[in-house]
Amino acid sequence: MAMLKVVKKDGTLEVFDFEKIVVAVAKSAARVGIDLTDEKIFELHKEVAKFILPETKTFTVDRIHSIVEMATHRVDPQIGASYSGFRNWKKEMADMMETIVADVNSSMNKRDRSNSNLNSLLFSAMRTNVSKILLKEMYMKYFLTEEERQAVKDGFIYVHDMDNRLIGTHNCCVVKLENIMDGGFWINGYFCKEPKHITNAVGVVGDIIVTAASAQYGGYTACEIDTTLAKYCAKTAHSWYMELKKLGIADSVAKKTAIDLTKKELKDALQGLEFQLNTRESSRGDYPFVTITFGKDTDLWAKEVAKTILEIRREGHGDKVKQKVVFPKLVMIIREDDANDDVFDDAIATSMVALYPDYIDDKVASPMGCRSFLSDYELPNGENLLHSRGNIGVTTLNPPLIFQNAKVNGLNYESEIIKYVDMCISIQDRTYDYIGKQKAGSNPLMFCEGGFYGGNLNPDDEIGPIVKEFFTASIGITALHELTVLVSGFSLLELKEVANHFIDTVQNRIDFHKERTGYGYSIYGTPAESLCGTQVQQFRKMFGIIPGVSDRDYFSNSFHCHVSEEIHAFEKQDNEVDLFHKHSGGHIQYIRIDNPDNLEAVKMLVKRGVKELGLYQGTNLNACTCNACGHTGNDFDGKCPVCNAIDYNEFNRICGYLGFSRKNGDWTLNQAKLSEVADRKSM
């Protein structure tokens, strides 16, 4: 064997070295607690030699491995089994790396349109996509069971954000920033004093949001931002007033001037914050999904904050052409007593040119990001803690696939629903444990500086007590319309029993697991931006094209009736309200506005949805801005109606959130979502 050479995987030649076999087999022996004695090494050498003919000059690496595998089994079956297992693992790793390399090459050579708010042309986004591919494959391999991996590959369940789950970070959250800012806090190794001036306060808000949002992967909601900033406005106005008085300016003039100067500072600061949140991409290559809520506070400065936020959003950014933005998401809290109706009037006017804000009732929690909501949690003092908490992530069911598979294979439908709910819950349970082992220093603003309830831990403390006690876990549902057609032949608009049966079965099983673990599982209406296309392709792969079910490029979004239904906004609200409330862990209801100039009608629709039906209410239209002449309007239909330019931006509601469907005249959406947008009549 002295002259034998080995052909390496890269094609190079290397002289055969038996000692390398001894080292590899010794490691395999050690893994099962066996010493590789000299006697066993001698036997191994004899067995390997039996497979090598005198005239043999070269062997491939794979052939050498096969020979060693057979030889070790003859020398010692336990060592042989260990060697085979390790060899199989290496082969699986090699196969996984080949898949990763192929996916990376594909990602680098084409534009990724799975997320409308991610610019895949940026180097930071490319780097993120590469790491996502690797982390997702590792998560599939090492976190999921074989049965779970198969269910994901077939499409019965979908585990969202697998790459981020492997890192151990959480999904979305809702916080009161004053819990961090009051008295000062530590950020990135430096102590930040509590600001005394509105300009500084807004700057600090931006620093907190960008830093904290980069330590999670879902939406970051700063709730009741008007209350947070109001006191800094008051301090700034008082400071200006005192300075003006020192100059001998009359009291009444000093007061008015101080207020005017403070308002200008407020607007300049908030304008800078909005610009920052739409232009400074995170290390992931996307923009932090930030939501701010306001409208509950009747303090004069709080109302000024709210009105200024709305004014800036209506105006847009830019010089000759004013462009609208999508971040932060704006949500107005509508008071039961209508005390802030002047703010509401501004909000409706803003929604009709910029689509946000959306609207919620003052008795419910602020949403986490797009549509996630916290479940109730009563503190010892009786307070319902609906902020300073988060969510660990989403796993989503595919109802049409679950039903059709049960039907075709003679399985019990309800048992199959329960099977896949249990599978999702098992993944979420392990996620609670996995995240719970992370250190507070991995996200210090939230776990060490008071962002989360109980978040005053030491950096080396594990975050399990906070996560397991206060965080929710979402079980998502999509395509209830397609499920209804598949089961009954009727649309979701015509029949609710099929959808209700599926949801009630899921909820009953969730309640069982809540009692078992105490964790905060809840049903979530999955937005499905790219998943809407993925799920229908998975369905077609198994069961082909079924008219009304899988004959379009997409499945419907969560509990909504089909986007092609020609129904009035009132009818859509009434049709979706019951299913909306059954998806308590995540939901939004939106209506299409065909005449955005009729503000009174829009006000009536929104207040009806929020105050009478308890909806988290959004509106939708195709908001367009021509980059050539600056004309703005609703639905350009391919070109600007004023100058005929095709270079225009169009944004609308992608799912529950906004995104650009066109940018500089080019489509930014994936094909499935583009098809859905083209079919829209009631959304």
Side-chain angles (χ1 to χ4, degrees):
M1 292 189 290
M3 298 304 295
L4 181 68
K5 291 190 176 182
V6 179
V7 182
K8 306 288 286 183
K9 289 184 177 180
D10 62 1
T12 60
L13 294 175
E14 184 176 293
V15 175
F16 175 81
D17 184 355
F18 182 71
E19 284 304 313
K20 289 188 176 182
I21 293 178
V22 173
V23 171
V25 175
K27 289 179 180 178
S28 296
R31 279 193 289 272
V32 290
I34 298 175
D35 290 329
L36 190 66
T37 63
D38 290 341
E39 290 80 4
K40 283 186 169 62
I41 293 173
F42 180 74
E43 289 297 319
L44 180 65
H45 192 281
K46 285 201 309 182
E47 292 297 332
V48 169
K50 290 178 182 179
F51 293 96
I52 301 177
L53 299 174
E55 64 271 19
T56 304
K57 301 299 182 184
T58 60
F59 264 114
T60 64
V61 169
D62 284 341
R63 179 60 181 151
I64 289 290
H65 278 309
S66 296
I67 291 171
V68 174
E69 187 173 0
M70 289 185 284
T72 52
H73 275 282
R74 293 181 180 182
V75 171
D76 188 307
Q78 280 187 277
I79 298 176
S82 176
Y83 185 88
S84 295
F86 182 68
R87 186 191 176 195
N88 291 338
W89 178 82
K90 287 183 69 175
K91 185 178 186 307
E92 289 174 0
M93 287 297 295
D95 290 344
M96 184 176 80
M97 287 306 300
E98 286 186 8
T99 300
I100 290 170
V101 170
D103 288 346
V104 166
N105 288 335
S106 175
S107 173
M108 298 291 283
N109 292 324
K110 68 178 182 180
R111 187 168 181 181
D112 180 7
R113 299 179 188 271
S114 62
N115 181 348
S116 63
N117 292 316
L118 174 77
N119 184 356
S120 62
L121 299 177
L122 295 173
F123 285 125
S124 55
M126 293 179 191
R127 182 176 62 245
T128 295
N129 282 339
V130 170
S131 66
K132 283 175 69 173
I133 291 166
L134 172 62
L135 292 171
K136 180 180 177 181
E137 286 293 327
M138 291 177 65
Y139 181 90
M140 288 277 285
K141 175 69 177 172
Y142 297 111
F143 196 91
L144 301 182
T145 67
E146 185 175 347
E147 184 184 22
E148 290 163 353
R149 282 196 296 273
Q150 194 60 52
V152 170
K153 289 177 181 178
D154 290 339
F156 293 103
I157 66 171
Y158 182 84
V159 183
H160 296 253
D161 305 292
M162 287 189 267
D163 54 321
N164 288 292
R165 282 172 176 259
L166 188 67
I167 294 171
T169 184
H170 65 273
N171 182 21
C172 49
C173 68
V174 53
V175 300
K176 286 192 171 182
L177 292 180
E178 52 263 44
N179 292 342
I180 299 174
M181 296 171 66
D182 287 356
F185 59 95
W186 287 89
I187 181 170
N188 294 333
Y190 295 92
F191 186 75
C192 177
K193 293 182 179 178
E194 182 180 357
K196 298 179 180 179
H197 201 278
I198 188 58
T199 299
N200 295 337
V202 174
V204 168
V205 164
D207 291 339
I208 292 173
I209 288 174
V210 170
T211 302
S214 67
Q216 62 180 64
Y217 60 88
Y220 188 93
T221 295
C223 70
E224 300 178 35
I225 193 73
D226 46 348
T227 298
T228 302
L229 294 178
K231 70 175 182 178
Y232 300 109
C233 290
K235 287 181 179 180
T236 303
H238 178 71
S239 177
W240 275 118
Y241 170 74
M242 296 304 294
E243 288 296 320
L244 292 167
K245 288 292 289 180
K246 287 179 184 178
L247 297 175
I249 296 174
D251 190 71
S252 60
V253 175
K255 286 181 179 178
K256 182 181 183 306
T257 304
I259 290 171
D260 290 343
L261 289 169
T262 302
K263 287 182 178 179
K264 184 180 185 307
E265 282 197 54
L266 173 66
K267 183 174 182 180
D268 288 346
L270 288 174
Q271 203 164 33
L273 175 64
E274 184 174 87
F275 190 76
Q276 174 189 11
L277 294 178
N278 285 277
T279 56
R280 183 191 294 179
E281 74 272 3
S282 71
S283 58
R284 300 185 303 268
D286 59 359
Y287 303 101
F289 196 119
V290 180
T291 298
I292 57 176
T293 70
F294 53 85
K296 193 173 182 178
D297 199 330
T298 58
D299 172 83
L300 290 178
W301 278 117
K303 293 176 73 166
E304 188 62 35
V305 170
K307 288 185 173 186
T308 303
I309 289 170
L310 294 166
E311 180 185 0
I312 292 167
R313 186 57 60 92
R314 287 195 304 275
E315 289 178 352
H317 293 265
D319 185 13
K320 294 180 180 179
V321 176
K322 296 286 188 180
Q323 296 288 358
K324 302 298 187 292
V325 297
V326 297
F327 293 118
K329 173 169 183 169
L330 308 180
V331 178
M332 179 174 178
I333 304 167
I334 298 180
R335 290 176 59 97
E336 186 66 29
D337 60 7
D338 294 328
N340 280 345
D341 254 12
D342 53 337
V343 179
F344 177 66
D345 289 345
D346 282 0
I348 291 295
T350 305
S351 293
M352 291 303 97
V353 295
L355 278 74
Y356 287 152
D358 294 334
Y359 304 86
I360 57 170
D361 186 80
D362 63 357
K363 297 186 291 294
V364 302
S366 291
M368 295 183 286
C370 163
R371 65 171 65 198
S372 289
F373 281 87
L374 292 168
S375 53
D376 291 339
Y377 187 97
E378 186 174 339
L379 296 173
N381 63 5
E383 177 191 351
N384 189 11
L385 184 66
L386 294 177
H387 58 81
S388 307
R389 295 165 58 198
N391 176 275
I392 66 163
V394 184
T395 53
T396 290
L397 301 165
N398 188 337
L401 192 62
I402 293 172
F403 171 81
Q404 191 67 5
N405 184 64
K407 177 183 176 182
V408 169
N409 293 295
L411 304 172
N412 182 278
Y413 175 42
E414 285 194 3
S415 296
E416 288 296 290
I417 297 173
I418 291 169
K419 168 186 166 182
Y420 290 112
V421 172
D422 287 352
M423 198 176 288
C424 290
I425 292 290
S426 178
I427 293 169
Q428 298 292 53
D429 286 352
R430 300 199 304 276
T431 303
Y432 270 114
D433 290 338
Y434 189 66
I435 294 177
K437 290 182 173 64
Q438 308 307 313
K439 304 295 186 181
S442 62
N443 189 351
L445 283 175
M446 304 306 295
F447 290 104
C448 302
E449 298 299 321
F452 287 131
Y453 186 81
N456 300 106
L457 304 176
N458 294 316
D460 288 331
D461 291 341
E462 291 188 355
I463 62 177
I466 293 175
V467 171
K468 294 181 180 182
E469 185 69 17
F470 301 113
F471 277 45
T472 60
S474 303
I475 307 300
I477 294 177
T478 60
L480 289 177
H481 166 79
E482 285 75 15
L483 173 68
T484 302
V485 174
L486 188 61
V487 175
S488 70
F490 293 98
S491 71
L492 185 58
L493 182 68
E494 299 168 312
L495 184 72
K496 296 292 184 293
E497 283 79 2
V498 173
N500 280 321
H501 172 257
F502 187 91
I503 295 169
D504 292 345
T505 304
V506 173
Q507 186 63 61
N508 289 338
R509 196 60 180 172
I510 284 176
D511 291 341
F512 165 79
H513 286 293
K514 274 186 175 180
E515 185 69 24
R516 177 180 61 84
T517 66
Y519 290 154
Y521 319 113
S522 59
I523 295 181
Y524 174 83
T526 302
E529 178 179 342
S530 59
L531 183 60
C532 68
T534 300
Q535 285 190 328
V536 77
Q537 290 299 326
Q538 290 168 327
F539 185 95
R540 286 179 183 177
K541 186 175 181 179
M542 294 183 73
F543 302 113
I545 295 177
I546 298 176
V549 178
S550 56
D551 54 350
R552 299 177 189 262
D553 290 336
Y554 59 91
F555 273 166
S556 294
N557 193 337
S558 60
F559 57 85
H560 302 292
C561 60
H562 201 271
V563 296
S564 63
E565 300 282 9
E566 297 195 54
I567 53 176
H568 190 275
F570 289 114
E571 193 177 355
K572 191 170 189 292
Q573 287 176 326
D574 291 339
N575 185 268
E576 295 182 350
V577 62
D578 291 338
L579 293 175
F580 169 92
H581 288 295
K582 286 190 173 186
H583 291 72
S584 59
H587 51 198
I588 185 171
Q589 201 280 335
Y590 27 73
I591 48 179
R592 187 163 196 86
I593 305 300
D594 293 320
N595 183 8
D597 295 326
N598 190 349
L599 297 182
E600 293 304 315
V602 179
K603 289 179 192 177
M604 179 180 65
L605 280 167
V606 169
K607 280 203 172 178
R608 178 180 188 268
V610 174
K611 303 185 76 170
E612 294 181 27
L613 302 177
L615 298 172
Y616 171 31
Q617 187 69 66
T619 58
N620 193 34
L621 49 87
N622 293 341
C624 302
T625 301
C626 178
N627 294 319
C629 71
H631 176 67
T632 61
N634 178 23
D635 197 357
F636 280 6
D637 195 23
K639 64 181 180 180
C640 173
V642 173
C643 71
N644 292 322
I646 61 171
D647 178 13
Y648 67 89
N649 290 355
E650 173 186 277
F651 72 101
N652 55 29
R653 202 167 289 273
I654 304 304
C655 295
Y657 51 86
L658 303 185
F660 285 95
S661 48
R662 282 179 184 263
K663 208 152 192 185
N664 304 119
D666 184 27
W667 292 108
T668 62
L669 303 179
N670 62 78
Q671 184 55 51
K673 186 55 67 173
L674 272 177
S675 297
E676 189 241 79
V677 169
D679 288 344
R680 288 179 181 178
K681 291 185 174 64
S682 58
M683 180 200 167

